[in-house]
Amino acid sequence: MQQTHTQLDHSAEALETLQHVFGYPAFRAPQQEIISALLNAEDALVIMPTGGGKSLCYQIPALLRTGCAIVVSPLIALMQDQVEALQQLGVRAAFLNSSLNPDDARSIEQDWLDDRLDLLYVAPERLLQARMLALLDQVSPALFAIDEAHCVSQWGHDFREDYLQLSVLHERFPGVPRIALTATADARTRQEIAERLKLTDAHHFLVSFDRPNICYRIALKDNPRGQLLRFLRDEHDKDAGIVYCLSRKRVDETARWLVEQGFNALPYHAGLPTETRAEHQRRFLREDAVIIVATIAFGMGIDKPDVRFVAHLDLPKTVEAYYQETGRAGRDGQAADAWLVYGLQDVIMLRQMLDQSQGSDAYKREEQHRLNAMLGLCEVTTCRRQALLAYFDEKREEPCGNCDSCLNPVATWDGTEAAQMALSAVYRTGQRFGVNHLIDVLRGSENDKIFQNEHHYLPTFGVGKALDTRQWKSVYRQLVARGYLSVDMARFGALCLQESARGVLRGEVEVLLRQDPKASTARRTTKTALPEHIDVGLWEALRECRRQLAEDQGIPPYIIFHDRTLQLICEQRPKNVTEFAAISGVGDRKRDKYAEAFLRVVNNSEGTG
Ligand code: ADP
Ligand code: ZN
């Protein structure tokens, strides 16, 4: 009885904080329960996709519990962003990390000891210093939040030695509730987090991994630059986005070319000087509509909510990488695109990189396996989202309606006979030749290489005239992707038969192939960021107002208001402060600070019609 009573009290308090401080009308699915657990001094382990709303889960209890909450985060750039965003809301937040000079750090510590802070963000290595732990003894923290908790996993890419020692928090401060958060969903990592952080008694909150606002599209590479240009011009001419390429050279070339095409594009890779990288990242965050062209070095620690597209000009190596990279789009929940073009050449190149990489055979086999899963996703003829979620062990019953397969259903054809011909050409030529020569054999081309190798005498010579070169390429690509053929890099990309090809050659297996569309035709039906009916003049004026306010304070525009809030202002045209305050994303502090400026913009626009 007593228990229920306090929980009721908590939920009213929590809702009030959500509405007045953050300006949102209601909680998303498990936020309320997570907050209640912490307010009842219980631990929580939260697995929620990017953009799901993890931060509120500890920020609200931090405000409601006595004392200052400690947030452990490995990403220095993110800390600053989060603290700026909180300060905009009138929340007393600060961070301690190596980017501060000793005087500033001391003054923050003093604020903390004098109870002038609600949230303190700390890098893990700093938190674990004896000095810091001693300070913690004096203050009795409100809670510990361990962000990016998958960093404890030794299997993951983001492993951090310091994270392993965070279990000390439990041992030294057993009464202080802890919450660990991550967007990494696989069961092994989850288990590791629970064990290593001693969170075995914690409530587990597992939210679907799905990112419904992201539209997944994977097209065949045909003329990649032309395809990218069409995609950008048609759908994202004024949006911020990321274009990923595999090599530094390609990054530089692509960025230069995009600038020639009139886009505000900047390169980013590990070969650029640190200052250049920092400057490009800064412009990406602070200016509107900047495109970053990058290797995978870019992304960790980028929390920009209004990235409207992530485009891949090269195939990612694993589904995990693809999901993580595309996940940087649309954190604000607004529509966003994940766009990828790939071809047989990508497969050959990745296999080559893998072959030449250091690492044990077991490692290479594992990576090969992961690459095959990525290829499988590219070739799937059904809903991409279903396939993607299935890879992460999540079952989705219905096709999503928001991926290229759903928007433009893929036709399939019975490719059994074609597959037999293609495999047999590989076999008859001794598994020593690449795709182009094999296609010449099948199509009966009479050239020097054919005559030198006496391939015009083979029974397969000329049997495949019914299909053109493009169609044969598609057949070979799909046979490689499905593992009937492997690519031998030691022999310049020669195709070799795999065990599974036997069944096809014997006619025991049917092969259903994807009918490749002529070009990348899948198009989402709406423009991503802006609904059709929006008043573009007003929208631009609101953006300009936001940009100006952000510039005056030296912060990114999205920290003033997210696109979603700006869009609501544009649609609802508030006439006074009360109407302005009712818009989602406008809390008390932002109402006081910004109502006047934005109301003026709305009024002026009505004056001019
Ligand atoms: P995560 O850390 O899980 O990637 P964030 O905490 O950054 O996600 O939240 C993603 C976005 O959703 C932010 O713009 C945040 O302000 C917004 N958000 C979170 N909770 C709510 C809510 N209950 N109502 C409306 N917006 C929310
Ligand atoms: Zn779908």
Side-chain angles (χ1 to χ4, degrees):
M1 192 61 215
Q2 187 65 40
Q3 185 74 4
T4 353
H5 200 148
T6 41
Q7 288 192 346
L8 276 178
D9 277 350
H10 284 156
S11 59
E13 270 180 319
L15 186 62
E16 186 167 318
T17 309
L18 178 76
Q19 292 172 342
H20 285 278
V21 178
F22 296 88
Y24 296 132
F27 283 111
R28 289 186 188 152
Q31 285 175 328
Q32 172 94 66
E33 288 100 289
I34 299 167
I35 291 167
S36 292
L38 290 172
L39 291 176
N40 287 315
E42 290 158 353
D43 297 338
L45 172 54
V46 176
I47 321 277
M48 214 187 254
T50 307
K54 285 186 282 301
S55 347
L56 281 186
C57 299
Y58 57 82
Q59 287 168 347
I60 289 182
L63 294 173
L64 294 177
R65 282 181 67 87
T66 12
C68 173
I70 306 297
V71 185
V72 186
S73 165
L75 306 165
I76 291 182
L78 269 191
M79 271 186 210
Q80 182 164 0
D81 227 49
Q82 292 242 9
V83 166
E84 276 171 352
L86 285 166
Q87 288 172 345
Q88 280 289 316
L89 299 171
V91 172
R92 303 176 304 171
F95 62 84
L96 281 177
N97 63 36
S98 54
S99 75
L100 291 176
N101 67 44
D103 282 344
D104 288 341
R106 247 192 310 280
S107 117
I108 287 171
E109 277 178 15
Q110 200 55 53
D111 283 345
W112 178 32
L113 292 175
D114 295 346
D115 203 15
R116 284 194 296 267
L117 286 180
D118 294 309
L119 283 117
L120 180 61
Y121 287 72
V122 190
E125 62 277 7
R126 187 156 191 136
L127 181 69
L128 294 162
Q129 287 166 2
R131 175 185 157 70
M132 209 42 202
L133 291 171
L135 288 175
L136 278 170
D137 281 329
Q138 297 174 39
V139 292
S140 68
L143 61 93
F144 292 111
I146 302 171
D147 208 0
E148 314 288 345
H150 61 279
C151 291
V152 295
S153 165
Q154 278 160 318
W155 294 99
H157 299 285
D158 304 327
F159 174 62
R160 309 259 309 205
E161 194 75 44
D162 305 311
Y163 260 67
L164 287 182
Q165 275 135 54
L166 290 174
S167 59
V168 74
L169 298 176
H170 173 57
E171 285 139 26
R172 279 182 80 133
F173 311 97
V176 179
R178 292 171 307 145
I179 172 172
L181 312 103
T182 178
T184 304
D186 66 278
R188 179 166 69 177
T189 311
R190 208 154 63 226
Q191 187 64 26
E192 266 188 288
I193 296 173
E195 277 167 19
R196 292 183 201 275
L197 294 179
K198 304 245 156 51
L199 278 169
T200 30
D201 290 338
H203 295 269
H204 287 211
F205 296 93
L206 205 69
V207 179
S208 163
F209 218 43
D210 190 16
R211 301 284 312 279
N213 59 315
I214 298 182
C215 176
Y216 296 98
R217 291 146 66 174
I218 301 180
L220 267 194
K221 201 182 270 188
D222 146 28
N223 157 19
R225 282 188 173 178
Q227 288 170 292
L228 179 64
L229 194 60
R230 196 164 350 120
F231 169 65
L232 295 178
R233 291 230 164 108
D234 289 357
E235 303 178 53
H236 293 287
D237 59 338
K238 282 197 185 120
D239 291 335
I242 307 173
V243 177
Y244 282 111
C245 305
L246 214 52
S247 70
R248 296 173 186 183
K249 182 159 161 278
R250 284 243 309 194
V251 164
D252 289 332
E253 289 168 0
T254 308
R256 212 173 307 127
W257 172 77
L258 280 172
V259 169
E260 283 164 18
Q261 303 302 318
F263 290 95
N264 200 353
L266 301 168
Y268 189 104
H269 57 69
L272 291 170
T274 317
E275 312 84 72
T276 312
R277 268 187 288 160
E279 169 64 10
H280 290 181
Q281 175 168 334
R282 198 191 63 79
R283 289 187 53 194
F284 180 61
L285 295 178
R286 310 231 154 161
E287 294 174 18
D288 281 330
V290 170
I291 297 176
I292 283 277
V293 185
T295 57
I296 51 170
F298 182 77
M300 206 28 190
I302 301 302
D303 207 5
K304 187 175 165 63
D306 54 355
V307 175
R308 295 270 68 89
F309 67 89
V310 169
H312 282 94
L313 282 177
D314 293 304
L315 188 67
K317 289 183 200 142
T318 63
V319 179
E320 284 90 347
Y322 173 73
Y323 205 71
Q324 190 170 49
E325 283 151 27
T326 55
R328 294 179 181 128
R331 292 183 77 119
D332 55 7
Q334 301 283 91
D337 280 306
W339 183 94
L340 159 70
V341 286
Y342 93 112
L344 183 55
Q345 208 46 43
D346 288 281
V347 182
I348 293 177
M349 181 144 97
L350 284 182
R351 294 249 152 106
Q352 189 166 13
M353 283 173 64
L354 198 63
D355 262 22
Q356 291 165 353
S357 72
Q358 323 268 271
S360 64
D361 285 352
Y363 168 81
K364 286 186 185 175
R365 255 197 314 279
E366 167 95 18
E367 289 297 296
Q368 186 68 58
H369 198 69
R370 291 169 175 236
L371 174 56
N372 288 344
M374 185 63 218
L375 290 173
L377 178 67
C378 292
E379 296 292 349
V380 80
T381 52
T382 50
C383 174
R384 304 262 190 217
R385 194 180 310 272
Q386 279 179 324
L388 207 44
L389 291 173
Y391 182 81
F392 296 108
D393 296 324
E394 200 179 311
K395 192 166 154 55
R396 186 194 161 94
E397 300 293 340
E398 297 294 319
C400 75
N402 194 26
C403 73
D404 56 352
S405 304
C406 287
L407 292 167
N408 282 357
V410 185
T412 53
W413 58 292
D414 181 352
T416 312
E417 201 187 337
Q420 283 168 344
M421 287 183 195
L423 295 173
S424 145
V426 173
Y427 178 69
R428 301 267 180 193
T429 54
Q431 312 188 52
R432 291 186 299 122
F433 294 90
V435 178
N436 293 331
H437 184 72
L438 292 165
I439 294 176
D440 284 345
V441 171
L442 287 164
R443 296 200 18 90
S445 305
E446 301 185 350
N447 61 38
D448 289 352
K449 199 168 170 186
I450 293 278
F451 295 134
Q452 276 157 20
N453 289 288
E454 304 200 333
H455 284 163
H456 52 304
Y457 294 130
L458 293 176
T460 33
F461 186 72
V463 295
K465 287 194 174 132
L467 301 186
D468 63 22
T469 305
R470 198 175 147 274
Q471 289 166 318
W472 278 119
K473 278 204 171 144
S474 162
V475 172
Y476 275 114
R477 188 194 77 241
Q478 298 186 57
L479 292 175
V480 171
R482 294 184 195 186
Y484 293 122
L485 288 171
S486 65
V487 184
D488 183 353
M489 290 327 304
R491 287 192 290 172
F492 310 102
L495 296 186
C496 309
L497 296 170
Q498 295 292 97
E499 189 53 37
S500 56
R502 209 184 284 267
V504 179
L505 282 166
R506 285 200 194 125
E508 295 161 3
V509 180
E510 245 188 43
V511 184
L512 209 58
L513 294 178
R514 220 186 138 86
Q515 183 102 58
D516 290 335
K518 278 270 176 296
S520 75
T521 45
R523 289 274 304 276
R524 49 168 49 259
T525 42
T526 54
K527 225 167 146 58
T528 45
L530 285 184
E532 297 295 331
H533 56 270
I534 211 146
D535 174 344
V536 180
L538 176 56
W539 171 251
E540 291 300 336
L542 290 169
R543 288 235 291 197
E544 177 52 26
C545 174
R546 177 176 69 172
R547 196 194 57 74
Q548 194 65 56
L549 289 168
E551 196 176 289
D552 293 347
Q553 300 172 73
I555 55 175
Y558 56 80
I559 286 188
I560 308 270
F561 284 130
H562 279 180
D563 284 355
R564 173 82 190 127
T565 302
L566 222 56
Q567 226 180 74
L568 290 170
I569 298 175
C570 198
E571 286 167 10
Q572 297 176 9
R573 296 176 172 266
K575 283 184 214 47
N576 51 48
V577 176
T578 318
E579 286 179 21
F580 187 76
I583 286 171
S584 174
V586 183
D588 292 358
R589 173 61 68 101
K590 288 188 177 174
R591 173 198 63 202
D592 295 346
K593 240 175 133 172
Y594 302 127
E596 200 190 321
F598 285 96
L599 285 171
R600 197 178 319 123
V601 174
V602 174
N603 273 332
N604 284 348
S605 121
E606 262 162 359
T608 58

